[in-house]
Amino acid sequence: YIIDEVHMLSNAAFNALLKTLEEPPPHVKFIFATTEIRKVPVTVLSRCQRFNLQRFSTEQLAEHLASICEKEGAKVAPEALALIARAAEGSARDGLSILDQAIVQGDGRQVSAEQVRDMLGLADRSRVLDLMDRIIAADHKSALNEASALLDQGADAPVLIKDLMDVVVEV
């Protein structure tokens, strides 16, 4: 049995499952998947083998998505795939979901980076860099105007802040 998002089980559900884990039938195997290992009780963890799966790098995920697009005959610009991979933060499942949305919205034409930016509420990278330059220069009024313009054009505020943090990390 595969239980995805096992951390979402209630305490009562974990307690019921614990009985089966202590004396499992020989023909039963459980696979628990979670992104929040801290929410799984220690009593359950102590009865499991644990395998930590790593997320894909942005480059690996973009290559994987490109391979899928090639096999499926979907036309997606490489820059759009890079944006999708970055937004998925290494999760193949999330990347595939975003890719699927982008292809559906593309109406059979090539999906562009601009379409993906609009779909995800991302700000144009060059404008994020301009905003960071204004912040560093302490040009507060201009920085606020640029941030406001980006938000007015559909950028998502938490994503914009994350983009700004990514710029700081890169420096």
Side-chain angles (χ1 to χ4, degrees):
Y1 294 92
I2 299 173
I3 302 176
D4 194 12
E5 304 292 343
V6 73
H7 64 273
M8 298 298 290
L9 293 178
S10 67
N11 284 334
F14 275 123
N15 287 335
L17 184 61
L18 195 56
K19 287 288 190 191
T20 306
L21 289 176
E22 288 172 347
E23 297 177 28
H27 65 282
V28 174
K29 302 287 184 238
F30 287 99
I31 298 175
F32 301 143
T34 183
T35 54
E36 311 242 2
I37 195 70
R38 286 174 255 112
K39 292 183 179 180
V40 178
V42 175
T43 53
V44 172
L45 289 176
S46 67
R47 289 162 177 83
C48 299
Q49 280 187 312
R50 183 171 162 185
F51 299 96
N52 290 326
L53 304 178
Q54 302 300 316
R55 292 181 174 269
F56 286 100
S57 71
T58 302
E59 294 78 22
Q60 289 171 322
L61 186 53
E63 288 173 16
H64 179 62
L65 296 174
S67 170
I68 290 169
C69 288
E70 184 178 323
K71 290 174 185 168
E72 295 296 325
K75 299 172 192 154
V76 182
E79 300 83 22
L81 291 173
L83 288 172
I84 291 169
R86 186 168 164 242
E89 296 179 342
S91 167
R93 178 174 44 185
D94 292 348
L96 289 170
S97 294
I98 296 168
L99 177 62
D100 189 40
Q101 284 180 332
I103 291 169
V104 168
Q105 291 182 11
D107 295 331
R109 298 182 307 257
Q110 182 177 27
V111 177
S112 69
E114 181 71 24
Q115 288 171 307
V116 171
R117 263 192 211 94
D118 290 345
M119 183 183 82
L120 296 175
L122 300 175
D124 183 344
R125 178 93 173 134
S126 64
R127 294 200 54 197
V128 171
L129 294 173
D130 289 344
L131 175 57
M132 183 55 74
D133 287 342
R134 292 171 185 172
I135 292 169
I136 291 170
D139 186 357
H140 305 296
K141 184 175 181 177
S142 179
L144 287 172
N145 287 339
E146 180 65 17
S148 180
L150 286 167
L151 294 172
D152 288 344
Q153 291 175 355
D156 189 38
V159 175
L160 179 59
I161 292 169
K162 185 178 181 318
D163 287 346
L164 287 168
M165 289 173 24
D166 288 345
V167 169
V168 171
V169 171
E170 291 172 6
V171 175

